[in-house]
Amino acid sequence: EVDTNRVAVEGGSQGGALSFATAALCGNRIKLAVPAVPFLSDFPEYLKVAIWPANEWIDYATANPQTGIEGVLKTLSYVDIRNLAPWVTASVFMAVGLMDETCPPRINFAAYNKLKSEKKYVVFPDSGHGLPAEFNEMRDQFIKEKFGISSALK
């Protein structure tokens, strides 16, 4: 009893990354994706701009010189949403916080910029990894609008 024309995925941080990945790997079955402050993107850049968990990958590479940082980055590339983004066919509405030190906006946009589907984003200049409640309303409105759901319906 699922309306397969109205399947959306959404989430924040790792859930935002999983929204990207699900939309990429499920093709046309996913109609909308709403990732908020998505993680798991552009790992080489992430190592330059974020402390955690980048420090754990660096520690692993140091402790395992046979793998090194190149090996770590190669493994991480398989789950990098920047690499999955071109496969997304769903409409995407992404949100970022400019003060986010966990998932800096530049890594969010590394994936967003690779999207070929319809896309839009919202930036919250004063927000970090947590977004204001206003985003929840924007997300819900985006989904209702795209699925042609009346505002009177919950």
Side-chain angles (χ1 to χ4, degrees):
E1 296 183 25
V2 172
D3 183 346
T4 58
N5 291 313
R6 292 182 174 175
V7 177
V9 292
E10 64 92 15
S13 191
Q14 185 171 350
L18 294 173
S19 296
F20 261 100
T22 303
L25 298 173
C26 289
N28 290 330
R29 290 182 288 177
I30 304 300
K31 305 304 181 193
L32 303 176
V34 189
V37 295
F39 184 46
L40 305 177
S41 181
D42 197 1
F43 292 110
E45 192 63 26
Y46 190 83
L47 288 173
K48 297 175 189 173
V49 297
I51 297 171
W52 178 87
N55 61 316
E56 294 182 19
W57 303 326
I58 293 168
D59 290 348
Y60 179 87
T62 302
N64 297 277
Q66 71 282 7
T67 302
I69 198 64
E70 296 80 16
V72 170
L73 289 173
K74 180 179 179 186
T75 299
L76 290 171
S77 74
Y78 296 117
V79 296
D80 190 328
I81 63 171
R82 180 188 61 173
N83 297 333
L84 296 174
W87 299 357
V88 173
T89 59
S91 294
V92 175
F93 176 42
M94 184 179 79
V96 301
L98 285 186
M99 300 303 185
D100 191 342
E101 294 180 5
T102 305
C103 297
R106 66 201 274 182
I107 69 151
N108 305 150
F109 281 103
Y112 179 88
N113 290 337
K114 297 279 186 174
L115 290 167
K116 296 176 183 171
S117 61
E118 177 187 13
K119 61 186 179 179
K120 72 178 194 173
Y121 66 89
V122 61
V123 172
F124 294 95
D126 299 322
S127 294
H129 199 57
L131 299 177
E134 172 187 1
F135 171 66
N136 296 331
E137 295 169 19
M138 296 171 82
R139 176 201 61 217
D140 294 349
Q141 184 59 38
F142 173 78
I143 293 169
K144 287 177 184 177
E145 206 172 272
K146 288 293 183 182
F147 286 159
I149 300 171
S150 168
S151 295
L153 298 176
K154 299 287 180 184

